[in-house]
Amino acid sequence: MRMTDGVPVAELARELYERVSARDVAGYFDLLSDDVLFHVGGESIVAGEYRGKAAIAALGMKLMEETAGSFRTELISVLANGSHAITLQRWSAARRDVMSRWIKCLK
């Protein structure tokens, strides 16, 4: 995420999560730059680096498929400078009849 039209990166990150919560997929992708990079830490089925909008879309589809649409995310905090943001968030989802909750950091 980059400063766009004078909007600080932290504000853009918060707006992304608002759009995810509202299930506004088109609005979400409108805010992403073409060279967006997500890094999901850990050892989960979605851990890894995701480069570009197509990779982010594939990540979202995998999350929804694996969790039968139960995946939710809640933004806890944003740390940002003029060109990058790191978000701390709470994820929850049911998978194979098991409800799970995680605290994740995305850079």
Side-chain angles (χ1 to χ4, degrees):
M1 290 173 271
R2 292 195 180 100
M3 183 175 279
T4 304
D5 298 328
V7 177
V9 173
E11 189 175 322
L12 285 174
R14 287 183 188 92
E15 180 65 24
L16 280 169
Y17 283 89
E18 287 177 18
R19 291 182 185 196
V20 167
S21 293
R23 304 274 186 189
D24 178 5
V25 175
Y28 176 83
F29 279 97
D30 284 345
L31 290 178
L32 295 178
S33 64
D34 291 335
D35 63 347
V36 64
L37 171 65
F38 279 12
H39 176 84
V40 181
E43 298 178 6
S44 72
I45 61 168
V46 295
E49 280 195 357
Y50 298 87
R51 293 180 181 272
K53 290 181 180 183
I56 303 303
L59 169 62
M61 290 174 65
K62 184 171 188 172
L63 282 167
M64 289 298 127
E65 179 181 303
E66 291 286 337
T67 66
S70 68
F71 173 78
R72 300 289 183 269
T73 186
E74 173 191 353
L75 183 63
I76 298 169
S77 185
V78 177
L79 176 63
N81 62 20
S83 61
H84 296 85
I86 296 174
T87 61
L88 183 62
Q89 59 208 259
R90 183 174 293 113
W91 286 10
S92 64
R95 183 171 181 246
R96 298 183 183 141
D97 296 324
V98 175
M99 185 63 170
S100 299
R101 291 177 179 81
W102 310 267
I103 301 292
K104 286 285 192 185
C105 182
L106 289 181
K107 354 179 206 176

